[in-house]
Amino acid sequence: MTQPETTPVINILIIDDHRLFNDGLRAMLADAPDITILGQIYHSRDALSQVRQLRPRVLIIDFNMPEMDGLELTRLLLTQHPQLCILILSMYGESRYIDDFRKAGALGYMLKTSTKDELLTAIREVARGNTYFDPKLADQKQFSNHADDTFLKKYKLSPREVEIIRLIKAGLSTPQIADKVHLSPYTIETHRKNIYAKLGISTVAELVRFAVEVGI
Amino acid sequence: MTQPETTPVINILIIDDHRLFNDGLRAMLADAPDITILGQIYHSRDALSQVRQLRPRVLIIDFNMPEMDGLELTRLLLTQHPQLCILILSMYGESRYIDDFRKAGALGYMLKTSTKDELLTAIREVARGNTYFDPKLADQKQFSNHADDTFLKKYKLSPREVEIIRLIKAGLSTPQIADKVHLSPYTIETHRKNIYAKLGISTVAELVRFAVEVGI
DNA sequence: CAACAAATACCAGTATCCCGGTATTTTATA
DNA sequence: TATAAAATACCGGGATACTGGTATTTGTTG
């Protein structure tokens, strides 16, 4: 991390057992003039020796790796090479995974659904010692802080409806919710009906997915 | 499949929601002179219209797709376009998945751990109307899964259980799921029971939250 | 081969969910 | 003040979910 920022070329190692993905990344990054792929690793067990030998600046590591998962590998590599800039590519957007990797010392974490440009940005940021935690995921967290006002407007949900959604999402049954808010179960059922109609859905699963997605 | 084998250029569509993978494949295949990437699809819902519009020879489809999985998409596409040559890219080497796709009419199935050369071979074979089922899999019936290993191990979920979770998360009822996977509703209920026991939960809401959280 | 896990299947019973409808009261707004 | 939205409440009916249990078959592993 104390590397001079005048280094013009970013030396990268890609670690992913999915060879097609690994090779695809290489091909995709081939035309970036400030990026050099020093090598590709298909097995986590080769990581240490290759890092020692090739001395990359940035490591792109897949979240899921057989034998040793991405988190464990990240920890191990950073223990021995604390100057490494690690960027994680993942299918999972959940904050607990992001936090795990952040704590382990990874500088970046992004989804595989991201674009090439986003990947290039991420690589450049972490190469500079900055962090790059996918903005799309950060937005999701911030978004949840202003949940109620937004949904009152966008989905025409009332405060009471938002409250009921929260309780359903938490796994409470209609009678349990009725108990909690001191209303009749019939009232709760009516709210559910109204919520479903407003959102155009018809099952708890859909409702919970919605609630999680929009941060209620 | 009755196409003349004199067609010099293979027109391909890539369908994968992991944009980095999708774009990587494109970049990797860019220097193959007999291959043209007609387009890339990131959402399964766009597949039908794009196939109709672009009329590709070969479709490269990811096994796992949100909203509509690779198998379902394969079936749908081949119902409407029986001449399509479909090659599946997958993380799963188990024969039952391979058999499912074979029965659905896919001409090829290979692992993401394969090499670029193997991919090129597969593309050329299926483009000719031949089949290409990964030779590595024929030899090794017991291929270790990489993908859901995290969850299979951590939560002791079986592949079938993960599949059922996905379908529940999507909002399907037990009879609907039973229909979809061609099993008895009783079987689905049993799977639900086993899943709940393993995860220590008792409602759809909790299950969906879990599924979203861990990326199933 | 034996043991175990996974997969498949079934039953019964109770509670809940969803959905069609109804209604009145309260609150907010134009 | 009138109107609309929100809140509250109820009914009936059918379908589904959950939970207690049972069982057999298939596939995998030691």
Side-chain angles (χ1 to χ4, degrees):
Chain A
M1 246 66 81
T2 55
Q3 301 284 340
E5 296 197 17
T6 53
T7 309
V9 173
I10 305 168
N11 291 325
I12 290 177
L13 255 195
I14 308 176
I15 309 182
D16 193 323
D17 66 304
H18 286 176
R19 190 166 184 143
L20 287 181
F21 187 56
N22 199 321
D23 292 353
L25 280 188
R26 178 178 199 142
M28 193 163 54
L29 297 175
D31 61 359
D34 58 331
I35 285 170
T36 296
I37 311 290
L38 295 182
Q40 293 166 265
I41 305 182
Y42 305 112
H43 301 101
S44 45
R45 63 177 174 262
D46 301 330
L48 276 182
S49 61
Q50 288 293 302
V51 167
R52 209 178 297 125
Q53 189 176 342
L54 298 173
R55 303 173 162 278
R57 170 79 176 148
V58 172
L59 279 205
I60 300 180
I61 306 183
D62 185 46
F63 181 106
N64 283 319
M65 293 284 289
E67 296 167 5
M68 191 187 302
D69 67 27
L71 185 58
E72 195 181 344
L73 184 57
T74 295
R75 287 198 182 118
L76 184 61
L77 286 166
L78 288 178
T79 297
Q80 305 205 11
H81 304 276
Q83 80 290 346
L84 279 176
C85 308
I86 294 186
L87 172 64
I88 305 296
L89 298 187
S90 171
M91 297 187 284
Y92 313 112
E94 292 69 36
S95 55
R96 67 161 148 174
Y97 294 123
I98 303 171
D99 291 343
D100 283 347
F101 279 95
R102 190 188 263 119
K103 285 189 203 123
L107 294 185
Y109 187 109
M110 61 189 305
L111 297 183
K112 291 189 179 180
T113 51
S114 307
T115 64
K116 175 184 169 181
D117 283 349
E118 285 167 335
L119 176 62
L120 288 172
T121 301
I123 290 169
R124 287 165 186 147
E125 287 297 317
V126 303
R128 276 199 221 104
N130 299 330
T131 60
Y132 186 95
F133 290 90
D134 203 325
K136 296 193 294 296
L137 303 176
D139 287 350
Q140 188 179 27
K141 288 171 84 172
Q142 290 168 15
F143 195 49
S144 68
N145 291 341
H146 311 289
D148 294 359
D149 291 347
T150 302
F151 304 113
L152 293 178
K153 288 179 198 162
K154 182 172 182 181
Y155 298 102
K156 297 181 179 167
L157 294 169
S158 68
R160 182 62 98 177
E161 281 164 348
V162 173
E163 179 184 17
I164 301 293
I165 290 174
R166 282 216 180 89
L167 295 172
I168 292 172
K169 179 189 164 194
L172 274 66
S173 66
T174 291
Q176 287 171 331
I177 295 170
D179 235 25
K180 192 172 188 66
V181 300
H182 304 105
L183 293 175
S184 159
Y186 292 117
T187 303
I188 307 305
E189 283 291 334
T190 301
H191 281 307
R192 292 176 79 133
K193 199 167 13 178
N194 295 335
I195 289 164
Y196 285 2
K198 287 180 180 181
L199 300 180
I201 62 175
S202 58
T203 65
V204 168
E206 288 169 290
L207 181 61
V208 173
R209 275 181 18 243
F210 167 81
V212 169
E213 198 176 303
V214 298
I216 291 184
Chain B
M1 247 66 79
T2 56
Q3 301 283 340
E5 297 199 14
T6 53
T7 308
V9 172
I10 305 168
N11 291 325
I12 291 178
L13 257 194
I14 309 177
I15 308 182
D16 194 324
D17 66 305
H18 287 176
R19 189 165 187 146
L20 287 180
F21 187 56
N22 198 321
D23 292 354
L25 279 189
R26 179 177 198 140
M28 193 163 52
L29 297 175
D31 59 359
D34 59 331
I35 284 169
T36 295
I37 310 291
L38 295 182
Q40 293 167 266
I41 303 181
Y42 305 111
H43 301 101
S44 47
R45 63 178 174 262
D46 301 328
L48 276 182
S49 61
Q50 288 293 301
V51 166
R52 210 179 297 126
Q53 191 176 340
L54 298 173
R55 299 171 165 279
R57 169 85 177 143
V58 172
L59 280 204
I60 300 181
I61 304 181
D62 185 46
F63 181 106
N64 284 320
M65 293 285 289
E67 294 168 9
M68 189 187 301
D69 66 26
L71 185 59
E72 193 181 349
L73 185 57
T74 296
R75 288 198 181 116
L76 185 61
L77 286 167
L78 287 177
T79 298
Q80 305 205 14
H81 303 277
Q83 80 291 347
L84 279 176
C85 309
I86 293 184
L87 172 64
I88 305 296
L89 297 187
S90 172
M91 297 187 276
Y92 311 109
E94 278 156 326
S95 55
R96 68 172 145 156
Y97 294 125
I98 303 171
D99 290 343
D100 283 347
F101 278 95
R102 188 187 267 122
K103 285 187 201 124
L107 294 185
Y109 187 109
M110 62 188 306
L111 296 184
K112 292 188 178 181
T113 50
S114 306
T115 64
K116 175 184 170 180
D117 283 348
E118 285 167 335
L119 177 63
L120 288 172
T121 301
I123 290 170
R124 287 165 186 149
E125 286 298 315
V126 302
R128 278 200 221 103
N130 300 330
T131 60
Y132 187 94
F133 289 91
D134 203 324
K136 299 195 295 295
L137 301 177
D139 294 344
Q140 309 175 31
K141 274 281 179 81
Q142 276 295 7
F143 200 89
S144 172
N145 295 344
H146 304 298
D148 290 335
D149 274 4
T150 305
F151 308 109
L152 291 180
K153 284 183 199 158
K154 184 169 182 179
Y155 301 101
K156 298 189 169 128
L157 294 168
S158 71
R160 182 62 96 176
E161 281 164 348
V162 173
E163 178 183 18
I164 301 291
I165 291 173
R166 282 207 179 96
L167 295 172
I168 293 172
K169 179 189 164 194
L172 274 69
S173 65
T174 290
Q176 287 172 332
I177 295 172
D179 233 25
K180 192 175 190 60
V181 300
H182 304 106
L183 292 175
S184 159
Y186 292 115
T187 303
I188 306 305
E189 282 292 336
T190 300
H191 281 307
R192 292 175 81 130
K193 202 169 11 178
N194 294 335
I195 289 164
Y196 285 4
K198 287 180 183 182
L199 301 180
I201 61 175
S202 57
T203 64
V204 169
E206 289 170 289
L207 181 61
V208 174
R209 274 181 18 244
F210 167 82
V212 168
E213 203 173 299
V214 299
I216 291 184

